């Protein structure tokens, strides 16, 4: 409970997780929702800026300058898995009016900066649904934003905000170039398991 009060977005607690009140739909099936507090993001950014083991070739088609969350911090990986299953999945169930069953996820943190990984080309995610959380405040970088061409939409979200959208087929997207500074975000490719 103390962790929730300190590190979750205060809007979640103040509304008792009223996802319909807190979420904004920017285009068909594209939602944003506050998830982490600014303090949580700031403390995480201190660790991310000191981290040196970034990878560049995990995804062959669309390589990103990233690190799997469990390789970055196993404790944070467990916390986020719990957040995803206990907060974000109920939000999805409410917002899409569709129960989410069993799923697995690949979650990684991405670092965007002009000298390596300034942008990401237009692509489909290999997921049933995708969650992207912004950790950097907007004053730490210039440019950027997730672009959804079919929806004629560019989203540049606030610190601690999650963007949720379907993965394959319908929601092609890319990341516009970072001109200066650094932007850190986290992406979860969530795949439903049908048994």
């Amino acid at each position: 409970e103390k962790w929730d009060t300190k590190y979750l977005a205060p809007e979640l607690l103040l509304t008792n997780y009223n996802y319909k009140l807190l979420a904004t739909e920017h285009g068909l099936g594209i939602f944003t929702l506050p998830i982490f507090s600014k303090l949580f993001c700031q403390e995480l950014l201190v660790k991310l800026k000191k981290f040196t083991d970034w990878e560049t070739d995990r995804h062959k088609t669309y390589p990103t300058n990233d690190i799997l969350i469990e390789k970055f911090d196993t404790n944070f990986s467990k916390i986020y898995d719990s957040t995803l299953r206990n907060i974000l999945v109920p939000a999805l169930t409410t917002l899409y009016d569709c129960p989410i069953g069993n799923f697995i996820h690949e979650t990684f943190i991405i670092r965007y900066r002009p000298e390596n990984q300034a942008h990401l080309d237009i692509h489909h995610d290999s997921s049933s649904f995708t969650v992207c959380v912004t950790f950097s405040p907007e004053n730490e970088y210039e440019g950027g934003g997730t672009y959804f061409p079919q929806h004629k939409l560019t989203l540049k979200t606030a610190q601690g905000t999650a963007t949720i959208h379907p993965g394959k087929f319908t929601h092609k997207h890319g990341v516009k170039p970072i001109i200066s500074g650094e932007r850190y975000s986290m992406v979860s490719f969530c795949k439903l398991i049908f048994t």
Side-chain angles (χ1 to χ4, degrees), residues 135-192:
F135 293 134
S136 298
E138 289 184 61
N139 63 358
E140 288 196 357
Y141 64 94
E142 184 182 359
T146 304
Y147 174 55
F148 296 86
Q150 293 158 305
H151 301 81
K152 298 178 177 59
L153 172 69
T154 299
L155 279 180
K156 193 169 177 180
T157 55
Q159 186 178 42
T161 300
T163 300
I164 305 165
H165 63 83
K168 295 180 180 177
F169 308 125
T170 58
H171 285 69
K172 213 173 218 188
H173 60 284
V175 177
K176 293 195 172 186
I178 297 292
I179 298 166
S180 65
E182 291 182 329
R183 175 180 178 251
Y184 294 88
S185 61
M186 182 172 64
V187 174
S188 295
F189 292 155
C190 302
K191 296 181 181 180
L192 296 175

Side-chain angles (χ1 to χ4, degrees), residues 15-183:
T15 62
N16 194 27
Y17 303 90
N18 187 333
Y19 304 117
K20 286 189 176 179
L21 178 65
L22 297 177
T24 301
E25 187 170 14
H26 299 271
L28 183 62
I30 304 170
F31 292 94
T32 56
L33 179 74
I35 190 71
F36 290 119
S37 69
K38 289 182 180 179
L39 177 62
F40 176 84
C41 294
Q42 289 163 353
E43 289 184 7
L44 186 62
L45 283 170
V46 170
K47 293 180 183 177
L48 287 169
K49 289 176 183 180
K50 292 177 182 175
F51 187 72
T52 58
D53 292 332
W54 297 96
E55 297 181 14
T56 57
D57 57 0
R58 285 191 327 100
H59 296 112
K60 293 178 183 175
T61 310
Y62 295 95
T64 54
N65 185 220
D66 66 25
I67 189 68
L68 286 168
I69 189 173
E70 58 268 21
K71 287 187 176 181
F72 169 67
D73 185 321
T74 53
N75 188 44
F76 176 47
S77 177
K78 292 174 187 172
I79 289 168
Y80 178 70
D81 182 74
S82 177
T83 303
L84 181 60
R85 294 179 189 281
N86 296 315
I87 297 174
L88 288 167
V89 166
L92 279 162
T93 299
T94 299
L95 298 173
Y96 290 109
D97 192 23
C98 176
I100 306 296
N102 291 332
F103 69 97
I104 56 172
H105 66 94
E106 174 192 353
T107 298
F108 51 99
I109 299 171
I110 305 177
R111 177 181 64 176
Y112 290 100
R113 54 186 186 173
E115 60 270 28
N116 62 349
Q117 187 70 46
H119 75 286
L120 190 58
D121 289 336
I122 304 290
H123 64 285
H124 282 118
D125 290 342
S126 179
S127 66
S128 304
F129 61 91
T130 297
V131 177
C132 179
V133 181
T134 299
F135 293 134
S136 298
E138 289 184 61
N139 63 358
E140 288 196 357
Y141 64 94
E142 184 182 359
T146 304
Y147 174 55
F148 296 86
Q150 293 158 305
H151 301 81
K152 298 178 177 59
L153 172 69
T154 299
L155 279 180
K156 193 169 177 180
T157 55
Q159 186 178 42
T161 300
T163 300
I164 305 165
H165 63 83
K168 295 180 180 177
F169 308 125
T170 58
H171 285 69
K172 213 173 218 188
H173 60 284
V175 177
K176 293 195 172 186
I178 297 292
I179 298 166
S180 65
E182 291 182 329
R183 175 180 178 251

